[in-house]
Amino acid sequence: MIQTKLIPRTAEANEPPLIIKSMLAQSLRYEPQREIVYRDLFRINYVQFNERVRKLANVLTELGVKPGDTVAVLDWDSHRYLECFFGVTSLGAILHTINVRLSPTQILFTMNHAEDKVVLIHEDFLPILTAIKSQLTTVDTYVVLSDKVYTGTEEITTLSEIPAGFVGEYEALLKPASADYDFPDFDENTWATTFYTTGTTGNPKGVYFSHRELFMHTMGLLTYIIGYEAMPFKGSTDVYMPITPMFHVHAWGFPFLATMMSAKQVYPGRYEPELLLKLLIKEGVTLSHCVPTILNMLVSNPAAQKFREPLSRWKVMIGGSALTKGLAKAAIDLGITVLAGYGMSETAPVMAVGYLNEAERQLPMSEQLELRTRAGRISPFIDMRLMDDEGNFVPHDGHSLGEIVARGPWLTQGYYNDPERGAALWKGGWLHTGDVASITPDNWIIIADRTKDVIKTGGEWVSSLDMEDTLSQVEGVAESAVVGLPDDRWGERPHALIVLKPGYDLTAERIKAGLQAKVDRGELHKWYVPDHILFVSEIPKTSVGKIDKKRIRSEMKDQILAS
């Protein structure tokens, strides 16, 4: 860094730190009457929400939680989870959002590694706890969460039976607690949250974020989503419902933004297609985000055809996996506004959103489709480059490929107690994403593939994502996955798994013939015809809904080659 002249610090001046409690405070300033809704069971306004956050802080303090202690949560997406986003972190404690879809062995590792002290757990996940409880090394307090206490009215009942070893049920503990709590100021670089992301090898990695990083990520969303209107979100008229688990990168950071804006929020609990549609219509939901699997589940539901009018008000950002043109078109045909975003667990996560400029918004939807299915335009305050294997930067010409590397004010500093993998993440002072892409001169990101999923065949690199996008546009294809498998002649060859839509009876030969016809017309590269096509009822997914290509390559190789 260059030498500059710093502003003298004045001892009497009070410069508040950028911490999560300051975002919470905004929720009471302008629209405190707006609601936070949980399923069809419970609703509160922001005055009540703030009271409950402070009650939670008092409960945790009584349970012995101190600044720097870790509080773990295993819950469905709920108002309780949102209260923990603010109540735990504003104490100066660390919120551990546990991925309930990991195996019990992996969950055990993450809880011991994070040194959890208090665990708040929904009764649906008690069997997981039963399997690992005797091996937990740092937990001393358990609180049970239950939906049985909500009656669908303002009344909250008492849980009839508390599990052995638990100090009580969440609502029963909150009820007598004081609603007064003066959250302290502390250094904005204080550790706020942690969660664990799984890789191809080794134990899950502990990602962590400070108050400042989460504050700045919220400001980045505020600038891009609201300021530039990439996904127009007006607190006065929009209703937010996450369809991304809150354990997954803080539900992409949107709960912090929605709360700061005191927007109406709807939390759906366990994901059930019929209930999601019901809440979307009844509560007037206008903004959500999810992985492609969830959107596909919703647009494929026959009930969706009956609700075109409310769906036409719905804006959805897709992340986690590529948004294919086939799925985007199916959503747009229902009136849904859909576009993609880009990021990863280590980036809090948003680093790009599909912003269409004034000229692009005038294009016919057939041309917009190409833009809406790209990974997005680089977010404000993010410096993103492409790098080759030798560490050289690659030009942003829309064609040259390289690994995406990034810098920004909200990227994780590393992995907890794992300096070796943290150093690899930040090799050369840039965060390495593992994604191969091109970037256009006007900042659009076009993902080619993950470095481990790109197919190297006949001396050329073939994008499995592009092949999946091509297959998604074949009539009758609901979902597809393409992987490279070893080939003696070509090094690797592409192979596909396909899920058909109900009522369609396609064959591998017909699909290949259709693709080959496009190759013959010069519309596709010759490698885009997969060697084998295996029809399946479902495609293996990871714990956060991404296509699990590692599992496909290892467990389904023989099935694919025999198809």
Side-chain angles (χ1 to χ4, degrees):
M1 290 188 180
I2 64 170
Q3 291 296 316
T4 58
K5 189 172 184 179
L6 300 178
I7 293 176
R9 310 300 295 178
T10 303
E12 291 76 15
N14 185 352
E15 186 176 294
L18 304 180
I19 57 179
I20 289 170
K21 78 164 189 176
S22 61
M23 294 192 284
L24 175 66
Q26 300 304 311
S27 68
L28 286 174
R29 288 200 169 184
Y30 308 112
E31 302 290 349
Q33 79 287 349
R34 290 201 181 122
E35 290 185 314
I36 297 169
V37 179
Y38 177 52
R39 295 174 73 87
D40 50 1
L41 297 174
F42 190 62
R43 59 182 66 227
I44 49 177
N45 61 31
Y46 276 92
V47 173
Q48 295 165 313
F49 174 73
N50 274 263
E51 290 174 349
R52 287 171 60 88
V53 169
R54 285 170 167 77
K55 281 174 172 277
L56 174 59
N58 277 307
V59 168
L60 293 173
T61 300
E62 285 294 315
L63 294 177
V65 175
K66 303 181 297 297
D69 287 340
T70 304
V71 177
V73 178
L74 295 91
D75 194 10
W76 305 112
D77 288 5
S78 71
H79 62 294
R80 297 174 298 240
Y81 225 139
L82 187 66
E83 288 158 8
C84 290
F85 271 32
F86 291 91
V88 174
T89 57
S90 295
L91 281 174
I94 301 162
L95 176 65
H96 177 193
T97 57
I98 294 180
N99 183 344
V100 297
R101 296 173 185 161
L102 296 179
S103 70
T105 300
Q106 289 174 315
I107 290 175
L108 172 65
F109 171 82
T110 67
M111 294 178 74
N112 284 337
H113 191 262
E115 301 175 84
D116 295 339
K117 177 182 177 65
V118 174
V119 176
L120 282 62
I121 180 169
H122 192 284
E123 57 190 353
D124 287 355
F125 306 121
L126 290 179
I128 297 174
L129 182 62
T130 300
I132 65 175
K133 189 175 180 182
S134 65
Q135 301 172 71
L136 292 171
T137 57
T138 60
V139 179
D140 57 28
T141 306
Y142 299 90
V143 175
V144 67
L145 313 175
S146 175
D147 290 354
K148 295 172 185 172
V149 299
Y150 306 118
T151 62
T153 67
E154 292 184 3
E155 180 185 359
I156 298 174
T157 63
T158 303
L159 191 63
S160 59
E161 186 175 344
I162 305 298
F166 280 65
V167 297
E169 183 271 326
Y170 186 85
E171 292 291 352
L173 292 172
L174 253 61
K175 186 174 182 180
S178 170
D180 293 324
Y181 196 100
D182 187 15
F183 288 121
D185 281 343
F186 42 72
D187 192 304
E188 62 193 35
N189 295 302
T190 296
W191 187 353
T193 65
T194 190
F195 57 85
Y196 285 73
T197 179
T198 56
T200 55
T201 59
N203 289 317
K205 304 184 291 291
V207 179
Y208 50 84
F209 292 95
S210 69
H211 282 253
R212 175 183 169 81
E213 288 161 348
L214 296 180
F215 186 99
M216 292 305 299
H217 183 264
T218 306
M219 294 305 106
L221 286 178
L222 184 70
T223 303
Y224 212 5
I225 301 297
I226 298 173
Y228 286 96
E229 296 189 346
M231 285 283 286
F233 183 28
K234 296 180 174 63
S236 57
T237 55
D238 277 307
V239 179
Y240 165 67
M241 180 173 74
I243 319 180
T244 302
M246 296 179 81
F247 64 69
H248 187 218
V249 207
H250 325 106
W252 299 359
F254 279 83
F256 289 118
L257 176 64
T259 301
M260 187 180 73
M261 294 175 60
S262 54
K264 180 178 177 181
Q265 302 185 61
V266 181
Y267 287 86
R270 185 172 188 167
Y271 296 160
E272 300 163 4
E274 291 76 15
L275 180 64
L276 290 174
L277 280 171
K278 178 182 176 182
L279 290 170
L280 193 149
I281 294 158
K282 178 184 175 184
E283 303 296 342
V285 174
T286 59
L287 178 68
S288 298
H289 47 78
C290 62
V291 295
T293 307
I294 297 292
L295 182 63
N296 185 55
M297 178 179 71
L298 289 170
V299 300
S300 301
N301 191 312
Q305 300 294 335
K306 304 174 185 177
F307 301 112
R308 287 179 172 269
E309 194 275 328
L311 287 174
S312 68
R313 300 192 297 267
W314 196 31
K315 297 163 284 192
V316 185
M317 186 172 85
I318 296 297
S321 296
L323 172 63
T324 64
K325 294 184 182 68
L327 178 56
K329 186 176 185 303
I332 290 168
D333 287 346
L334 286 169
I336 300 168
T337 300
V338 63
L339 49 77
Y342 172 70
M344 55 192 293
S345 295
E346 291 83 349
T347 64
V350 178
M351 292 199 295
V353 178
Y355 173 75
L356 275 67
N357 64 29
E358 186 175 347
E360 291 162 342
R361 289 195 292 271
Q362 307 308 314
L363 295 172
M365 188 54 70
S366 59
E367 295 181 43
Q368 287 190 31
L369 201 63
E370 166 64 29
L371 301 174
R372 289 176 179 274
T373 52
R374 291 179 177 178
R377 265 193 167 111
I378 302 171
S379 293
F381 316 124
I382 290 292
D383 187 5
M384 187 178 292
R385 306 284 183 89
L386 299 174
M387 189 176 284
D388 64 20
D389 292 341
E390 284 73 45
N392 303 308
F393 290 123
V394 174
H396 292 188
D397 56 16
H399 304 289
S400 302
L401 294 177
E403 182 190 8
I404 295 176
V405 296
R407 292 172 175 168
W410 55 76
L411 280 53
T412 189
Q413 298 296 298
Y415 300 116
Y416 180 52
N417 275 347
D418 197 344
E420 185 175 332
R421 287 199 284 189
L425 178 71
W426 278 99
K427 182 181 178 183
W430 291 83
L431 186 145
H432 289 251
T433 66
D435 289 318
V436 176
S438 62
I439 298 177
T440 68
D442 54 352
N443 295 311
W444 280 102
I445 304 165
I446 305 170
I447 302 290
D449 225 326
R450 292 289 291 169
T451 53
K452 61 181 180 292
D453 291 329
V454 69
I455 300 168
K456 303 174 184 67
T457 184
E460 298 187 41
W461 282 20
V462 176
S463 167
S464 66
L465 300 183
D466 282 350
M467 292 190 67
E468 289 161 4
D469 188 57
T470 300
L471 288 169
S472 78
Q473 298 173 68
V474 175
E475 186 176 0
V477 173
E479 211 176 358
S480 66
V482 175
V483 297
L485 294 177
D487 183 89
D488 290 340
R489 181 180 180 187
W490 302 111
E492 283 186 321
R493 287 291 295 145
H495 304 265
L497 271 64
I498 287 179
V499 177
L500 293 177
K501 295 178 180 177
Y504 283 85
D505 186 24
L506 291 174
T507 64
E509 289 71 23
R510 284 174 58 191
I511 293 175
K512 288 183 182 181
L515 295 174
Q516 186 59 51
K518 290 188 175 186
V519 171
D520 295 341
R521 294 194 298 269
E523 298 173 15
L524 287 179
H525 192 283
K526 64 180 180 179
W527 299 121
Y528 274 52
V529 181
D531 275 21
H532 293 83
I533 295 176
L534 176 65
F535 294 99
V536 293
S537 58
E538 61 180 355
I539 289 173
K541 304 288 197 316
T542 68
S543 62
V544 292
K546 299 180 183 179
I547 295 173
D548 193 341
K549 295 190 177 180
K550 177 188 174 186
R551 184 175 158 200
I552 292 171
R553 286 189 290 261
S554 63
E555 297 181 11
M556 304 186 71
K557 176 182 174 182
D558 292 341
Q559 287 179 259
I560 294 169
L561 295 177
S563 62

